[in-house]
Amino acid sequence: MQATHDILTCGVPWKNADVELRKHFDHLTFTGPVPRTFIGPLALAGASWPLIWINAALNWRLSNQTIVRAVLGLYNAFCVIYFRNGISKAFGRIAANWYAIFQSSQFHLMYYSSRTLPNFFAFGLGRSLQH
């Protein structure tokens, strides 16, 4: 979330990137226990930016964090549906329906699907590639 916030707030520097990143992007100073990449947050910020702009223009009063997490959660939900459709084609509707029941009944999947953790940036991509 921190990197996505920095990208949405400060933009992406094109000149003197190393200096600008260290100056404005605090998640490089406070990296946490695991070094992270910009790829997931950059894609998420790019997908969220139009909705954040519409939110500001129409004065909907949604927080940027809510919008960003909704975009990531919907992406992961659509990827699970896409994977379920692949199961339906390969193994039939019954297997696909059982997959959907098992996936939707897992608390952790519902809870974490909108969290900006590296494994849930990769979750949807993994589901899409397995199709």
Side-chain angles (χ1 to χ4, degrees):
M1 181 55 76
Q2 197 172 358
T4 306
H5 172 269
D6 289 345
I7 291 168
L8 288 169
T9 304
C10 302
V12 178
W14 298 104
K15 294 180 182 176
N16 299 328
D18 187 45
V19 173
E20 292 297 315
L21 289 174
R22 297 234 179 258
K23 183 173 151 185
H24 295 292
F25 287 42
D26 60 352
H27 79 282
L28 291 174
T29 305
F30 306 104
T31 58
V34 178
R36 291 171 179 85
T37 178
F38 268 113
I39 296 169
L42 184 62
L44 184 58
S48 302
W49 180 82
L51 295 173
I52 290 171
W53 185 83
I54 290 169
N55 177 49
L58 298 178
N59 199 21
W60 284 345
R61 300 177 192 256
L62 292 172
S63 71
N64 289 353
Q65 180 178 1
T66 302
I67 294 170
V68 166
R69 288 189 64 176
V71 167
L72 182 59
L74 287 172
Y75 166 73
N76 283 322
F78 286 130
C79 289
V80 168
I81 292 168
Y82 181 72
F83 187 67
R84 181 221 170 267
N85 292 341
I87 291 173
S88 181
K89 288 177 187 173
F91 302 108
R93 285 185 58 195
I94 295 173
N97 289 340
W98 277 109
Y99 170 79
I101 290 168
F102 286 140
Q103 286 294 330
S104 62
S105 67
Q106 294 180 25
F107 166 76
H108 284 90
L109 180 65
M110 297 293 189
Y111 178 73
Y112 281 105
S113 66
S114 68
R115 302 284 307 266
T116 56
L117 300 171
N119 55 340
F120 275 90
F121 283 120
F123 176 79
L125 183 62
R127 290 290 153 290
S128 299
L129 295 177
Q130 289 176 345
H131 178 65

